[in-house]
């Protein structure tokens, strides 16, 4: 009797394990061919300096309703191919700082800003330029400044181009309460009474803290990772408004500024100057690119957003206000600056979809427009000499 039971247990176990192994092998060999929305690898982790960053050498497929892309990160954690530890003679390195717009997990590597920009520069006769993509999701000006301090001496950029996204980069430096500052798990910056930057202590979450056995297994199994991101995370974060707005973005578009917004803009300016000074200290030039939101580019998206939150489209809103403010701050501090909004609006009027309808990021067409404008900006301003 015990032998029969043992045989049944073995058969049941094999009936469960073998299909799972087959799914694991299928995902590893053929990518995200199984229906659903998920990721097949862990490609970011906590970082002691910048809070979080890509895992060097990591790869993963990302499957979402609007796109499916393959991600790879080189030995430095930059998205894209590996680079030499020593900068090749005659090569000019351009370090792109930014958040998820620069990281661009929504498009293939060949369609993202760095590759498109390299191609556009080459077409303009500017060769021997190496584009380094350090863009990372959920980064702010604070993360980007700290990353430049940390990685700049290793990467040796000749030019640092920072892309500032109106959608959340100003919101990320909004004044915080004392309670928030006591319990920081990511780096932030504040201003003292004299307007100087302060760096409150933050505490990186210890490895394994809050990590479930499922999360630990997902580091080694693409199937477990697909289940974690495709099922568990979807249940965990199912309450979303579908608009993708973050933080205090709407306040930025209001004509009247609050005291908190005034202080946030002062922090933005202080971080711009600090990042410029750090780039110059490392022997690199510095330039700024302003990235508009899809709500500023597409009137229909703005109307949909207001309808979703029950607001009226009246004279309280100044959609070009934040971009103009950033340009003014940059020019006041002698920082070369490009505002992408005019080019994006012109391209949108031709019928091109530059942002995904649901996702807030650029499509391949959006990256193409941005690359063309940034290429023209860099060459016209002679920033690559």
């Amino acid at each position: 009797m015990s032998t029969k039971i043992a045989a049944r247990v073995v058969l049941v176990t094999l009936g469960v394990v073998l299909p799972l192994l087959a799914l694991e092998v299928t995902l590893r060999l053929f990518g995200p061919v199984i229906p659903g929305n998920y990721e097949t690898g862990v490609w970011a982790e906590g970082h002691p300096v910048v809070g979080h960053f890509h895992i060097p050498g990591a790869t993963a497929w990302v499957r979402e309703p609007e796109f499916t892309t393959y991600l790879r990160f080189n030995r430095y954690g930059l998205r894209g191919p590996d680079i030499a530890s020593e900068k090749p003679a005659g090569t000019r390195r351009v370090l792109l700082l930014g958040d998820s717009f620069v990281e661009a997990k929504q498009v293939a590597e060949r369609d993202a800003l760095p590759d498109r920009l390299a191609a556009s520069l080459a077409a303009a006769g500017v060769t021997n330029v190496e584009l380094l993509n350090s863009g990372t999701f959920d980064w702010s000006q604070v993360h980007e400044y700290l990353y430049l301090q940390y990685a700049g001496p290793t990467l040796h950029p000749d030019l640092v181009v920072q892309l500032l996204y109106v959608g959340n980069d100003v919101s990320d430096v909004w004044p915080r309460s004392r309670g928030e500052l006591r319990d920081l798990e990511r780096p932030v910056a504040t201003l003292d009474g004299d307007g100087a930057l302060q760096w409150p202590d933050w505490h990186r979450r210890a490895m394994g803290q809050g990590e479930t056995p499922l999360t630990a297994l997902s580091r080694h199994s693409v199937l477990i990772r697909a289940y974690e991101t495709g099922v568990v995370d979807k249940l965990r974060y199912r309450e979303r408004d579908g608009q993708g707005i973050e933080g205090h973005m709407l306040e930025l578009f209001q004509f009247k500024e609050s005291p908190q917004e005034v202080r946030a803009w002062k922090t933005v300016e202080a971080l711009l100057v600090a990042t410029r000074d750090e780039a110059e200290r490392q022997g690199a030039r510095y330039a700024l690119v302003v990235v508009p939101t899809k709500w500023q580019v597409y009137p229909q998206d703005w109307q949909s957003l207001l309808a979703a939150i029950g607001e009226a489209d009246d004279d309280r809103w100044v959609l070009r206000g934040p971009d103009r403010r950033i340009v003014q701050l940059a020019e006041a501090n002698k920082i070369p600056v490009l505002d992408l909004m005019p080019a994006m609006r012109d391209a949108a009027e031709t019928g091109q979809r530059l942002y995904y309808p649901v996702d807030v990021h650029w499509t391949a067409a959006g990256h193409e427009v941005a690359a063309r404008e940034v290429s023209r900006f860099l060459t016209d301003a002679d920033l690559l000499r």
Side-chain angles (χ1 to χ4, degrees), residues 23-28 38-41 217-227:
L23 289 174
E24 177 83 19
V25 172
T26 299
L27 288 171
R28 287 181 180 272
Y38 51 85
E39 299 174 7
T40 64
L217 284 172
S218 70
R219 296 178 180 272
H220 308 287
S221 167
V222 297
L223 180 61
I224 296 297
R225 179 60 177 169
Y227 175 75

Side-chain angles (χ1 to χ4, degrees), residues 138-283:
D138 286 346
W139 267 14
S140 67
Q141 281 183 276
V142 175
H143 299 85
E144 292 149 23
Y145 167 75
L146 294 175
Y147 179 77
L148 179 61
Q149 273 192 325
Y150 167 77
T154 299
L155 300 175
H156 302 293
D158 299 288
L159 172 65
V160 175
V161 178
Q162 185 172 24
L163 284 85
L164 194 68
Y165 175 52
V166 171
N168 61 260
D169 277 352
V170 182
S171 302
D172 285 339
V173 296
W174 217 260
R176 296 170 181 263
S177 68
R178 291 182 179 179
E180 289 175 314
L181 292 175
R182 282 196 303 267
D183 301 318
L184 292 175
E185 290 185 350
R186 57 184 282 160
V188 301
T190 61
L191 295 180
D192 64 15
D194 297 323
L197 284 170
Q198 301 292 308
W199 308 95
D201 291 335
W202 63 281
H203 308 283
R204 179 189 174 193
R205 180 177 293 180
M207 291 297 294
Q209 182 180 340
E211 185 175 63
T212 66
L214 182 67
T215 303
L217 284 172
S218 70
R219 296 178 180 272
H220 308 287
S221 167
V222 297
L223 180 61
I224 296 297
R225 179 60 177 169
Y227 175 75
E228 181 188 30
T229 57
V231 177
V232 177
D233 285 352
K234 296 296 186 297
L235 294 173
R236 188 183 302 153
Y237 303 116
R238 61 188 171 186
E239 293 183 2
R240 299 181 62 182
D241 60 14
Q243 293 296 331
I245 60 172
E246 297 186 38
H248 303 271
M249 187 199 78
L250 279 176
E251 293 182 56
L252 297 177
F253 295 143
Q254 291 183 353
F255 178 77
K256 186 177 181 180
E257 290 185 347
S258 66
Q260 292 81 4
E261 183 180 347
V262 172
R263 193 157 185 83
W265 279 116
K266 290 181 179 179
T267 308
V268 167
E269 181 176 18
L271 284 165
L272 287 178
V273 172
T275 307
R276 178 204 63 191
D277 292 348
E278 179 61 27
E280 293 178 351
R281 188 186 69 80
Q282 295 181 22

Side-chain angles (χ1 to χ4, degrees), residues 292-355:
T293 69
K294 69 175 185 176
W295 302 284
Q296 296 169 282
V297 173
Y298 291 96
Q300 62 269 33
D301 286 4
W302 173 246
Q303 296 296 331
S304 296
L305 172 60
L306 293 180
I309 60 177
E311 291 282 359
D313 189 9
D314 50 35
D315 57 6
R316 287 177 300 159
W317 311 106
V318 184
L319 289 182
R320 296 202 64 170
D323 301 68
R324 287 172 174 164
R325 184 68 171 273
I326 296 168
V327 170
Q328 290 170 354
L329 293 177
E331 291 177 342
N333 290 283
K334 297 181 172 56
I335 295 172
V337 59
L338 166 68
D339 182 6
L340 288 174
M341 189 190 295
M344 289 282 172
R345 281 186 167 181
D346 289 345
E349 288 177 357
T350 67
Q352 296 186 69
R353 189 68 214 188
L354 309 178
Y355 296 72

